[in-house]
Amino acid sequence: MSNRVSRRQALAALTGLGAAAALPTAAAQACSRIFWNDNPVKLIGRTLDWSRNFDEVLWALPAGMEREGRVAENPAKWTSRYASLIIAGLDVCTEEGVNEKGLAVNLLFLDGTKYEPRNSKRPGIAFFQWPQYYLDNYATVNEVIGNLDQVQVVNTALGEEYPEGLPLHVAIADAAGNSAIIEFIKGEPTVHMGRHYQVMTNEPTYDEQIANLLKYKPFGGTIAELPGGIQATDRFVRAAYTLKYLPKTSDVPQAVANMMSLVNNVSVPFGSPYSGVSGTYPTWYRSIIDPDSLVYYVQTTITPNTFWVDMKKLDLKPGALALRMPIFDEKLMGEASGAFKEGKPSV
């Protein structure tokens, strides 16, 4: 079931080779991602769960922006090929987003991540630029996986709050329904690629999450009762189960409502007990990306409304101005593309 490969085998991942999985260990830090790619309306749902919010801003970034990897030695340099709509935290970290071609990337926590040893012969990008680099340069999952060697993801300080960086992994999806998970295990990129990789949470590693999932009756195992906890392993199983039975529909509003019901099911309420390897934290926002219609839905947990942005309503051609919209604004409701204001992005 797992297409687990090293960077040297990344191109082989395009053919979908498998590997065995191990038993799971304790799970912790929250965040969930679900890709509903077997429905007429494809949707990517996500929760962002942490000890606090990071004053997240929704940015509309035009094509043609000049960027440089934020590493000390041999930073990568590129010009964004595609426009993107992203959510960024701390004004610098691209937490997730979608580009004009329908490629979507989500960045989640993974305790135990070990990035590659720095090789300054390879152009580097800071780990918090990881999603943005893909959104700027690629249109499909196949393109991303086929070009993993172009840059090196580097663990570096993220402001004063995270001087040692953060252990993270990414999920990639495209408008054709393709999906991939990239993790750094023992200093090597590990790729899980295939349409069936629809769910991602946090630790343990992805192959261990799959091994745990297979213990449950709906997935061929013997455990009949679904887990109801907030740990990453529980949320993984619950998300996969709910997605398996989510009513399919070609009606867009109904599909979004169905996905939001799933995302709410794996959200972490405020006041949940701190537990696990690195803690379990509440959900601050939920998002849904429609990679076909390029509509981005956002629901925060400290405001009463849901709003969305139709990317096609924005001028994101080369030379256009970048636009920003803080997401924790109780005035935001419904289609909100008119609420953007000009800004100077740091992402």
Side-chain angles (χ1 to χ4, degrees), residues 6 61 76 84 89 109 112 131 137 146 151-152 160 177 181 190 217 236-237 251-252 260 275 277 288 294 332 340:
S6 69
L61 303 175
S84 60
F109 191 90
N137 290 287
V151 297
Q152 182 177 33
E160 295 181 359
I181 312 296
T190 300
K217 203 165 187 178
F236 191 105
V237 173
D251 181 77
V252 174
M260 191 62 80
S275 61
V277 175
I288 296 175
L294 299 178
L332 294 173
F340 280 100

Side-chain angles (χ1 to χ4, degrees), residues 82-161:
Y82 302 116
S84 60
L85 196 58
I86 68 163
I87 292 180
L90 297 175
D91 281 334
V92 68
C93 178
T94 301
E95 297 172 354
E96 63 173 43
V98 63
N99 70 18
E100 62 184 285
K101 295 297 184 180
L103 182 78
V105 186
N106 300 95
L107 188 65
L108 277 72
F109 191 90
L110 178 64
D111 190 70
T113 292
K114 185 178 179 182
Y115 296 99
E116 295 177 282
R118 181 67 176 119
N119 175 6
S120 59
K121 293 181 180 179
R122 292 175 62 197
I125 57 171
F127 72 90
F128 49 82
Q129 293 179 305
W130 195 3
Q132 193 63 52
Y133 179 81
Y134 293 160
L135 294 172
D136 284 350
N137 290 287
Y138 303 117
T140 67
V141 169
N142 282 1
E143 286 184 15
V144 172
I145 301 305
N147 288 280
L148 287 185
D149 277 335
Q150 295 301 306
V151 297
Q152 182 177 33
V153 178
V154 180
N155 193 30
T156 185
L158 178 56
E160 295 181 359
E161 190 167 359

Side-chain angles (χ1 to χ4, degrees), residues 8-310:
R8 292 185 299 271
Q9 299 167 304
L11 291 175
L14 300 177
T15 63
L17 301 178
L23 295 176
T25 57
Q29 188 97 14
C31 276
S32 303
R33 171 266 199 184
I34 307 101
F35 187 18
W36 196 13
N37 58 358
D38 56 357
N39 184 59
V41 181
K42 294 183 285 294
L43 298 171
I44 302 113
R46 186 258 176 81
T47 69
L48 189 288
D49 315 325
W50 207 260
S51 56
R52 68 174 183 87
N53 70 64
F54 293 107
D55 299 317
E56 276 86 357
V57 171
L58 190 64
W59 280 96
L61 303 175
M65 295 184 68
E66 300 293 330
R67 301 200 199 279
E68 182 173 305
R70 301 187 178 191
V71 298
E73 296 182 89
N74 191 18
K77 296 180 181 181
W78 71 97
T79 302
S80 59
R81 185 178 181 186
Y82 302 116
S84 60
L85 196 58
I86 68 163
I87 292 180
L90 297 175
D91 281 334
V92 68
C93 178
T94 301
E95 297 172 354
E96 63 173 43
V98 63
N99 70 18
E100 62 184 285
K101 295 297 184 180
L103 182 78
V105 186
N106 300 95
L107 188 65
L108 277 72
F109 191 90
L110 178 64
D111 190 70
T113 292
K114 185 178 179 182
Y115 296 99
E116 295 177 282
R118 181 67 176 119
N119 175 6
S120 59
K121 293 181 180 179
R122 292 175 62 197
I125 57 171
F127 72 90
F128 49 82
Q129 293 179 305
W130 195 3
Q132 193 63 52
Y133 179 81
Y134 293 160
L135 294 172
D136 284 350
N137 290 287
Y138 303 117
T140 67
V141 169
N142 282 1
E143 286 184 15
V144 172
I145 301 305
N147 288 280
L148 287 185
D149 277 335
Q150 295 301 306
V151 297
Q152 182 177 33
V153 178
V154 180
N155 193 30
T156 185
L158 178 56
E160 295 181 359
E161 190 167 359
Y162 301 103
E164 305 300 321
L166 286 170
L168 303 168
H169 56 170
V170 300
I172 311 165
D174 63 30
N178 300 310
S179 180
I181 312 296
I182 304 175
E183 301 179 337
F184 285 94
I185 309 299
K186 298 180 180 179
E188 279 284 337
T190 300
V191 177
H192 302 268
M193 184 173 176
R195 295 177 67 93
H196 53 289
Y197 294 114
Q198 298 169 291
V199 173
M200 184 172 86
T201 57
N202 317 108
E203 57 277 340
T205 57
Y206 202 80
D207 53 1
E208 295 178 74
Q209 288 279 22
I210 294 296
N212 183 60
L213 179 70
L214 296 178
K215 295 177 180 179
Y216 288 85
K217 203 165 187 178
F219 304 97
T222 59
I223 302 174
E225 189 170 339
L226 291 177
I230 57 176
Q231 299 287 17
T233 45
D234 290 0
R235 287 181 285 106
F236 191 105
V237 173
R238 208 160 61 249
Y241 173 86
T242 307
L243 185 63
K244 184 180 179 72
Y245 298 106
L246 203 63
K248 292 180 171 54
T249 177
S250 59
D251 181 77
V252 174
Q254 186 61 57
V256 172
N258 290 357
M259 173 57 82
M260 191 62 80
S261 72
L262 193 166
V263 173
N264 274 277
N265 183 260
V266 294
S267 295
V268 180
F270 288 103
S272 297
Y274 180 98
S275 61
V277 175
S278 54
T280 307
Y281 298 115
T283 298
W284 290 95
Y285 71 79
R286 309 175 185 98
S287 66
I288 296 175
I289 293 172
D290 184 334
D292 283 319
S293 65
L294 299 178
V295 177
Y296 205 133
Y297 303 84
V298 179
Q299 179 186 82
T300 78
T301 57
I302 58 174
T303 56
N305 308 323
T306 299
F307 69 92
W308 57 91
V309 173
D310 184 342

